[in-house]
Amino acid sequence: EDQVTQSPEALRLQEGESSSLNCSYTVSGLRGLFWYRQDPGKGPEFLFTLYSAGEEKEKERLKATLTKKESFLHITAPKPEDSATYLCAVSEAMGYQKVTFGTGTKLQVIP
Amino acid sequence: GAVVSQHPSWVICKSGTSVKIECRSLDFQATTMFWYRQFPKQSLMLMATSNEGSKATYEQGVEKDKFLINHASLTLSTLTVTSAHPEDSSFYICSARDFRRSGNTIYFGEGSWLTVV
């Protein structure tokens, strides 16, 4: 059974204090790993898709990396508006499009 | 802008009544859409996979007669909560995969808050 584990569950950072969120996964044949941002009371907002180990993607203060066992979401010099829950999800196969989500990391950036 | 739209965003219904939530893919066709439920401070729980032109595939423990899913077209899936009860109150979210964008990225709707009173 596919498993996705995110850590830490919650993270509190001072504005400007860089850090990383972790997403560990076990899946037979990774087809894609997704990162989303979710604000309270809203649907997840797409951030990145990673497909193979060694791949990296960046968007503003966020950078996502992927290895064969885990993915990291690096946040550089975060701002209060980066506060949200960050969700990681994996897709196993193209034929069966089920996506397994982690429980998320709730990030709070203090001014 | 949004690529998957849900309606309504908020709905309050009386216990025993039914309520329908729509999920639309904007400017792309989605043969498959997904319906999730999310409880406060918890992650997304997949309820069912909606397949255009065929029956939905429900996850274990999800009552298919209570949560009716219809995928009538390539851009619209609906979730109907039948005979709603207060314990059905939750945040319902749909998603769809766009194979044209970023190699099959999954996008989510804005979510629908259901309150059963």
Side-chain angles (χ1 to χ4, degrees):
Chain A
E1 184 178 328
D2 300 347
Q3 287 192 337
V4 181
T5 304
Q6 289 188 248
S7 62
E9 290 187 10
L11 181 62
R12 193 174 183 185
L13 300 173
Q14 288 294 131
E15 184 173 1
E17 179 186 2
S18 301
S19 187
S20 296
L21 312 182
N22 177 265
C23 172
S24 299
Y25 63 91
T26 54
V27 63
S28 55
L30 178 72
R31 299 299 298 187
L33 184 142
F34 308 92
W35 280 100
Y36 294 88
R37 168 192 172 130
Q38 186 175 25
D39 293 299
K42 296 186 178 180
E45 175 189 344
F46 170 73
L47 294 175
F48 306 107
T49 306
L50 302 168
Y51 295 100
S52 57
E55 188 174 1
E56 299 181 353
K57 288 190 177 176
E58 289 187 65
K59 179 180 180 181
E60 296 180 350
R61 295 178 292 281
L62 301 176
K63 179 180 178 180
T65 61
L66 181 66
T67 71
K68 290 185 177 180
K69 295 183 178 180
E70 59 191 349
S71 176
F72 291 94
L73 183 65
H74 307 278
I75 303 178
T76 302
K79 297 181 179 181
E81 53 262 42
D82 295 323
S83 297
T85 295
Y86 291 85
L87 297 169
C88 168
V90 297
S91 175
E92 180 180 4
M94 288 287 282
Y96 182 49
Q97 301 178 56
K98 183 176 179 178
V99 175
T100 302
F101 277 87
T103 52
T105 293
K106 185 175 182 179
L107 173 66
Q108 185 181 15
V109 182
I110 310 299
Chain B
V3 296
V4 176
S5 177
Q6 269 185 253
H7 177 81
S9 300
W10 299 83
V11 58
I12 300 174
C13 70
K14 291 184 177 180
S15 186
T17 63
S18 297
V19 62
K20 180 185 289 186
I21 301 171
E22 294 186 346
C23 178
R24 293 182 184 274
S25 58
L26 307 178
D27 82 11
F28 73 97
Q29 295 179 336
T31 55
T32 304
M33 292 184 178
F34 306 89
W35 286 96
Y36 294 84
R37 185 173 180 176
Q38 188 175 34
F39 293 102
K41 300 183 180 180
Q42 294 188 25
S43 191
L44 302 165
M45 181 191 79
L46 179 64
M47 299 175 63
T49 302
S50 172
N51 305 297
E52 188 270 335
S54 65
K55 293 182 179 180
T57 304
Y58 289 83
E59 295 299 303
Q60 190 174 8
V62 178
E63 299 177 60
K64 62 180 180 180
D65 294 331
K66 180 167 187 63
F67 298 100
L68 300 179
I69 291 174
N70 183 275
H71 198 145
S73 76
L74 289 172
T75 60
L76 174 65
S77 175
T78 60
L79 169 68
T80 301
V81 183
T82 63
S83 186
H85 291 282
E87 56 264 32
D88 297 326
S89 299
S90 188
F91 189 48
Y92 293 87
I93 311 173
C94 73
S95 71
R97 190 187 294 254
D98 184 359
F99 287 92
R100 305 168 308 165
R101 298 172 191 256
S102 303
N104 70 42
T105 293
I106 296 173
Y107 292 92
F108 286 85
E110 306 94 330
S112 300
W113 284 101
L114 170 63
T115 301
V116 184
V117 298

